[in-house]
Amino acid sequence: MAPLIGRRLRKGAATTAVAAAAMAALTASQAPGFAHSDQGDRNREQRAGEAPAPDDTPIDGGSSYHTDLPPLVTPDKPGSSIDLPGLPGSGSTKAEAGIPASVLDAYKKAEAALKESNPGCNLPWQLLAAIGKVESGQARGGNVEADGTTVSPILGPVLNGDGFALIKDTDGGAYDGDSTHDRAVGPMQFIPSTWANWGRDGNGDGEKDPNNVYDAALAAGNYLCADGRDLSVKAHLDRAILGYNHSQEYLNTVLSWFEYYKRGTHEVPDGTGVLPSGDGSGGSGNKGKDSGKGGGSGKDTGKGQENAHTLPKPDDEPDTSTPTPPAGEHGGTPGTGTPTPKPPTTPPSTPSGISKLTTVGAKELSATAGTGFAQSPRVKAVDAAGKPVAGARVRYEILGETDARFLGLVKSATMLTGTDGTATAPKLLAGEKTGTFTVRATAVGREAAPVEFTATVKARPVPQADALARVGDKELTAQTGASFADALTVTATSKGKAAADVPVTATMITSAKDPELNDKGPYFLDDKGKPVRTLTALKTNALGQLTLPKILTDDHAGTFLLRLTAEGGAVLDIELTVTQAQAPAS
């Protein structure tokens, strides 16, 4: 499908009747690039009936998006579409109107859920479909598993401020594989920080996964309905879409697909949806590629959009390269530095020649809690003669009692073998639960014996300190029945360097030579407000410092001793002086 309206009009409007039909369709859909040429001018964003763009961060971080526009012909039910002669692309109307089954089901279920939880929003599923089309090409043509999870993560461009918004990492790379900057994730392209607030469980599996189209659709619906919006009101609708991506052209593009889908759609099998022009970058953007020369809406607007999108250039040629299955050390896994391979238009079928899966590399893997495994499970598919089989589907599953997950926080992922027959699992992330679990690799649709990997999560080493020192040297004094006004702060070090997260115990003792627990004098309050003279749940901060809670006094005056003991053996004794409070004058 050619994405630029200008191209269609020049090549297709051969007759007055055709031109009139095209103009009517464009006017109805509010397609960008038709009635004006000021797509990037933010002074024009406040035209009548359009809501101003929001000030907060867009839901997708201002990532790139697909700029393809709907066919000029109004869609209808399969078998009854009308093709206008002379209009390129009109024969693709039925294909473009088709939405992959799982994706369509996710949109409709999200609409139904919002009718119950927020009926005043009036969310139409066609709006979710329009956004899903623009953000990810309907999850790359519906390339999803049976539960609605994408076969491989869909990642937008790195939001490092170079042509896009600057958003530093907020999820430790858990969802997007980037621990420096964020990237939009999944079929509805949520940035991790937004998903943390808006993520929903749309398929009832107990997890909130931005890579799952059911979860992502329900989350997007809730986001669009926020702030008491009624999406049947034009201003509310515009504001909701602009909240998704702060761009006038984005608003127009989504509205054009929204109007198109409202005029008729039908269900197509998963994996057979039409991919946007130039798709295959591994993210949601079209990488500046376009499928035709000329065309008004594809040009770089140059005004007000510097950090919003990578827009297509009018003279770029279409991207007609053949998708390449993943190969090499990382197999195209996002976040490893290897580009994600282009998804095929239809789901790849498992080659008939595959007869065996064999392990490549280590079969036993280990990592420390809260970190990533240095190696990912990897297998090789071979035929009966032992030759590698390319394009085979291999499903990796995490089995056992563990909170470890693959990149994207999913428990399973399907990968394609490369030309050398190997398929590498997505990066494996250790959770906080220690112990051993299994990763199983299975040839999808084949009877080849599965391969299992043993993965072990080890406990984090407890940080230690070999020295404790007080910050400041002011004498600590207080009167009886009161509290010490000055805070007590100490620094823990290990081999002269600040030691973070070191456990420290604070105890009121009788003396340095006889360090028994003192039942008189200064004390702390526990979390229930009761007096205690020992605190154990203390840790140094990132700078190796610890500020103790307020220290109170009873009615005993004198010199008392507070002992601080750090993991690793460091000990520090601090004197506390308590004077008798003066009796009030009679």
Side-chain angles (χ1 to χ4, degrees), residues 268-344:
V268 298
D270 287 345
T272 65
V274 176
L275 291 175
S277 301
D279 187 81
S281 65
S284 66
N286 65 11
K287 297 184 69 177
K289 294 285 184 183
D290 187 40
S291 60
K293 292 181 180 180
S297 70
K299 71 179 182 179
D300 192 339
T301 61
K303 295 181 181 180
Q305 302 280 350
E306 294 87 347
N307 293 322
H309 316 287
T310 298
L311 297 175
K313 297 177 181 179
D315 294 329
D316 279 348
E317 293 296 333
D319 184 353
T320 58
S321 58
T322 302
T324 303
E329 176 64 25
H330 298 292
T333 301
T336 62
T338 304
T340 304
K342 296 180 180 181

Side-chain angles (χ1 to χ4, degrees), residues 63-296:
S63 294
S64 58
Y65 55 88
H66 296 297
T67 57
D68 287 9
L69 295 175
L72 298 179
V73 184
T74 299
D76 206 338
K77 295 180 180 180
S80 60
S81 290
I82 301 174
D83 291 349
L84 297 183
L87 276 180
S90 65
S92 66
T93 299
K94 286 178 286 195
E96 280 292 2
I99 299 178
S102 293
V103 181
L104 181 59
D105 186 50
Y107 297 151
K108 290 185 176 181
K109 285 184 175 177
E111 179 193 61
L114 266 298
K115 279 185 179 178
E116 286 192 19
S117 63
N118 190 355
C121 173
N122 294 304
L123 171 75
W125 66 261
Q126 291 90 343
L127 177 59
L128 294 175
I131 291 174
K133 178 69 174 180
V134 171
E135 291 289 349
S136 69
Q138 308 297 20
R140 291 188 183 137
N143 197 20
V144 298
E145 302 279 5
D147 66 350
T149 301
T150 57
V151 171
S152 59
I154 300 176
L155 298 175
V158 178
L159 299 175
N160 58 5
D162 185 13
F164 303 98
L166 173 60
I167 303 179
K168 294 185 178 180
D169 176 63
T170 59
D171 66 328
Y175 286 112
D176 54 19
D178 191 329
S179 58
T180 304
H181 295 94
D182 272 347
R183 301 173 70 175
V185 179
M188 301 302 279
Q189 290 289 279
F190 278 81
I191 54 175
S193 58
T194 307
W195 183 259
N197 292 325
W198 291 96
R200 298 291 188 273
D201 176 15
N203 62 351
D205 65 354
E207 296 187 8
K208 300 175 183 178
D209 181 8
N211 293 295
N212 184 281
V213 69
Y214 290 93
D215 296 357
L218 182 57
N222 276 275
Y223 184 93
L224 293 167
C225 288
D227 299 327
R229 294 191 188 104
D230 178 356
L231 299 181
S232 65
V233 177
K234 182 63 166 65
H236 289 203
L237 175 66
D238 288 350
R239 178 172 290 277
I241 297 172
L242 288 170
Y244 216 102
N245 191 309
H246 189 156
S247 162
Q248 180 67 31
E249 182 160 341
Y250 179 89
L251 171 65
N252 291 347
T253 305
V254 169
L255 287 174
S256 70
W257 282 105
F258 179 42
E259 294 297 329
Y260 178 76
Y261 286 138
K262 284 198 299 183
R263 285 170 169 77
T265 61
H266 60 275
E267 177 182 302
V268 298
D270 287 345
T272 65
V274 176
L275 291 175
S277 301
D279 187 81
S281 65
S284 66
N286 65 11
K287 297 184 69 177
K289 294 285 184 183
D290 187 40
S291 60
K293 292 181 180 180

Side-chain angles (χ1 to χ4, degrees), residues 253-465:
T253 305
V254 169
L255 287 174
S256 70
W257 282 105
F258 179 42
E259 294 297 329
Y260 178 76
Y261 286 138
K262 284 198 299 183
R263 285 170 169 77
T265 61
H266 60 275
E267 177 182 302
V268 298
D270 287 345
T272 65
V274 176
L275 291 175
S277 301
D279 187 81
S281 65
S284 66
N286 65 11
K287 297 184 69 177
K289 294 285 184 183
D290 187 40
S291 60
K293 292 181 180 180
S297 70
K299 71 179 182 179
D300 192 339
T301 61
K303 295 181 181 180
Q305 302 280 350
E306 294 87 347
N307 293 322
H309 316 287
T310 298
L311 297 175
K313 297 177 181 179
D315 294 329
D316 279 348
E317 293 296 333
D319 184 353
T320 58
S321 58
T322 302
T324 303
E329 176 64 25
H330 298 292
T333 301
T336 62
T338 304
T340 304
K342 296 180 180 181
T345 304
T346 58
S349 59
T350 304
S352 58
I354 182 173
S355 63
K356 185 179 181 181
L357 291 179
T358 60
T359 304
V360 178
K363 199 168 184 177
E364 295 185 357
L365 313 171
S366 65
T368 302
T371 67
F373 284 76
Q375 294 177 293
S376 293
R378 189 180 182 195
V379 298
K380 184 175 183 178
V382 297
D383 60 17
K387 294 182 179 180
V389 179
R393 289 163 60 90
V394 177
R395 182 177 178 84
Y396 287 96
E397 297 177 275
I398 296 174
L399 307 175
E401 295 296 326
T402 180
D403 56 355
R405 295 291 185 270
F406 290 120
L407 178 68
L409 301 185
V410 296
K411 296 184 68 174
S412 64
T414 301
M415 312 301 290
L416 295 180
T417 58
T419 55
D420 61 353
T422 63
T424 305
K427 186 174 181 61
L428 188 58
L429 307 174
E432 295 300 328
K433 184 179 179 63
T434 59
T436 300
F437 62 96
T438 299
V439 177
R440 177 179 294 166
T442 307
V444 178
R446 307 304 299 174
E447 295 182 358
V451 172
E452 293 188 347
F453 298 80
T454 300
T456 303
V457 179
K458 302 176 181 178
R460 300 172 188 261
V462 179
Q464 298 184 343

Side-chain angles (χ1 to χ4, degrees), residues 479-480 579-585:
Q479 291 186 337
T480 56
T579 60
Q580 189 66 47
Q582 297 295 322

